[in-house]
Amino acid sequence: MYMNRKKFLKSLAVGLPVMLLSNKLSALFSKDEAAEEFVEKILAGPFSPTWESLSKYQAPEWFRDAKFGMWAHWGPQCQPEAGDWYAREMYMEGNRKYKFHLEKYGHPSQFGFKDVINTWKAEKWNPEALVSLYKNAGAKYFMALANHHDNFDLYKSKYQKEWNSLKQGPKKDIVKGWADAAKKHDLPFAVSVHAAHTWSWLETSQRDDKTGPFAGVPYDGKMTKEDGKGKWWEGLDPQDLYAQNHKLSENSEDNNGIHKQWNWANGVNPPSKSYINKFFNRTIDLINKYSPDMIYFDDSQFPLWPISDVGLRIAAHLYNKSIKDNGKLTAVITGKILNEEERKAMVWDIERGQSNDIEKLPWQTDTCIGDWHYNRDIYNRKAYKTPKTIIHTLVDVVSKNGNLMLNIPVRGDGSIDELEQKIVEEIGVWMKANGESIYGTRPWKIFGEGPAMKQAAALTAQGFNEGKGKAFTEEDIRFVTKNKTLFATVMAWPANGSILITSLNTGSEYYDGEIKSVKLVATGLDLRFERSTAGLKVFFPEIKPEAAYANALKIG
């Protein structure tokens, strides 16, 4: 639904960034401003679909205590095993994925993404086994992909009637399989929703080759139901999937232009009311069917904001449903590129990056050990992130009031490879030994000390600053507290047998009490220490515990 002018202007007063406004907002005020009715209704309750009302949100304690979640960013784009944004980039002439597609499947005028979906069978998928593995590795919540920018629903979708995983591809309710596994293992269940952007993201499918034997032959992005006669997809309408029965956005041929238009500005062709309404109905249907504890939106603020208020309506519904079902608000919604006011209405998510200070409100970073969608090349090159890198990220993020959501790419057949299995198991080794210093903790007066703080990578736009700062060393310490106990994690095993924590010196402005003991959390061993005006000097044992790349100390 499009907001009327009065409601929209009122919403601006509670902190909408001016940078989001563009001349495309005229789409909000069509000649017929009468509100359209949605098929799905939102629940009434304490929350209304306005920024002002949603700003009363508070992140639930389960989320604040959990700290570490794991994600299966898995759908039909994993079937080619060629990496991220396959459904978009297979239609980019000259792109690596375009060349891969030609060799593996044929020309995208004859074999498009709809046909890739048809090859996806998920024959080795065992959600219970994977969720069990992730729980054993220390995950305290689990997230599954509900749909991506490819617009394919991975559940029994009432509104994406034909292009969903029960009707096409694996013929399975993927979300239900994950949800049931999470419930069995007593993990809060989250879904990620990305489909709001298909309208502009998949415009590449409207193109054609500019050179070569297929020059001028359109890709399949504009095909309709009539084109399917005699083909496997006879009776299906590709436009229900591709949503490309519209004019191209400005500068649509610029392959990187989509990033500038993520906030529905800068020349993007505004989506139709029917597209917006369908997205709303699909998402409410998803919430009502599977009752997720958390929704991750891959959007600037809420989906389709500021050209529509459907994201605010979805948020109000989820929050009110959570209160109705649980007697209190236990739901979480994450969004990206939020100003301070918007962070009150949902949890701020920083993609592949982290804050450089303690945030007042809980937040989350999401990252992956490889590409978001499975990439065989990364496996062949053994180029996954190491357990050490993941644990360092987790410890740093938690010290700043954040959570880590980690994706383990799943192959098209539903399995993970042996390298990924080993990484997950090694993360579990560290978490079992040191989890006391992670779960249920809160930020201390400062998040840390050491050289990495002085050479941290700047946080810009959505994030993407991970791995760009100085690497952690034994001089880098990260702090958290729990029940009046201080934990200090040393980000490497000391080469000379001891470390100095300068923030805990005698007369410290941060810690004025007496220090009676220092324990190595991984083993429970009491460590010898000396406290002076220079700091707290802690002497480490000769024998390292397993996974000694981050070493939590319990100080009391």
Side-chain angles (χ1 to χ4, degrees), residues 348-452:
W348 181 29
D349 181 88
I350 303 175
E351 183 173 347
R352 289 192 184 268
Q354 57 248 50
S355 174
N356 288 320
D357 209 342
I358 296 173
E359 294 295 332
K360 295 178 182 178
L361 296 172
W363 59 283
Q364 176 179 269
T365 183
D366 61 290
T367 192
C368 182
I369 64 170
D371 278 358
W372 292 115
H373 289 107
Y374 191 88
N375 189 334
R376 171 65 57 171
D377 181 61
I378 291 177
Y379 166 78
N380 290 337
R381 292 187 288 110
K382 296 181 171 57
Y384 291 128
K385 285 190 180 79
T386 64
K388 174 182 175 180
T389 296
I390 296 302
I391 294 301
H392 279 176
T393 299
L394 174 66
V395 171
D396 183 62
V397 165
V398 169
S399 74
K400 299 167 183 173
N401 204 23
N403 286 22
L404 169 63
M405 174 61 78
L406 177 67
N407 177 53
I408 305 297
V410 180
R411 298 179 60 188
D413 64 13
S415 66
I416 63 173
D417 64 52
E418 77 280 3
L419 299 181
E420 294 176 306
Q421 177 97 15
K422 184 178 180 182
I423 290 168
V424 173
E425 290 171 351
E426 288 187 17
I427 290 171
V429 169
W430 190 92
M431 295 297 286
K432 285 181 177 67
N434 295 277
E436 182 186 1
S437 68
I438 297 294
Y439 305 124
T441 62
R442 297 294 183 266
W444 193 44
K445 298 172 185 178
I446 56 174
F447 71 85
E449 64 175 67

